[in-house]
């Protein structure tokens, strides 16, 4: 499948990893929007929030269970976790990913 983040999981495209286990990977965003900007992804291909189902939701729960330790390792206490679903919402990579943003005062959601 021609998916950028699947290629990052496979090691075909380099990334700056900050966390990895058997099911998920976290790496630094290449175009950071805050002093800390990390993407957390499932290793399995899920296109976006609209492809989360009862059958694959456990990996999403695992991502959220891991976000606090990723944030803590970055020294963050205050941060935003978000996902964009669909082009109009700003999704540019069609592989589910959660942004962790922090390190500055974050503005209102738009
Ligand atoms: P979104 O716009 O919500 O789909 O988020 C996609 C994010 O992936 C953007 O913030 C991009 O800067 C980031 N991105 C794109 N290519 C790479 C890459 N090769 N390594 C790390 N982050 C990337
Ligand atoms: Zn993928």
């Amino acid at each position: 499948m021609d998916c950028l983040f699947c290629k990052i999981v496979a090691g075909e495209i380099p990334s700056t990893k900050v966390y990895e286990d058997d099911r998920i990977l976290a790496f630094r965003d290449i175009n950071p929007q805050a002093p800390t900007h990390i993407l957390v992804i499932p290793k399995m291909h899920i296109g976006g929030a609209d492809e989360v189902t009862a059958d694959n939701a456990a990996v999403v729960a695992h991502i959220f269970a891991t976000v606090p330790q990723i944030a803590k390792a970055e020294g963050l206490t205050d941060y935003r976790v978000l996902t964009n679903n669909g082009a109009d919402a700003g999704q540019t990579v069609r592989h589910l990913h959660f942004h962790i943003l922090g390190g500055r005062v974050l503005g209102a959601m738009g």
Side-chain angles (χ1 to χ4, degrees):
M1 185 189 302
D2 192 22
C3 170
L4 176 65
F5 288 175
C6 282
K7 288 178 181 168
I8 284 179
V9 169
E12 294 166 12
I13 291 175
S15 68
T16 306
K17 296 178 187 177
V18 297
Y19 177 86
E20 181 173 19
D21 64 28
D22 58 328
R23 283 178 287 166
I24 68 173
L25 175 65
F27 53 95
R28 296 196 189 283
D29 196 292
I30 204 167
N31 182 24
Q33 303 300 307
T36 298
H37 187 171
I38 290 167
L39 302 175
V40 193
I41 68 171
K43 288 189 169 179
M44 67 183 292
H45 182 85
I46 300 172
D50 58 350
E51 290 186 9
V52 176
T53 66
D55 285 340
N56 64 24
V59 73
V60 179
H62 181 55
I63 285 173
F64 274 83
T66 308
V67 162
Q69 83 182 70
I70 295 171
K72 189 174 182 186
E74 293 293 317
L76 299 176
T77 55
D78 300 2
Y79 52 90
R80 183 172 289 160
V81 183
L82 68 85
T83 190
N84 298 316
N85 188 74
D88 283 359
Q91 185 177 15
T92 59
V93 179
R94 189 68 190 155
H95 180 127
L96 180 65
H97 52 282
F98 294 91
H99 300 255
I100 302 175
L101 295 153
R104 64 168 169 82
V105 176
L106 298 166
M109 297 287 292

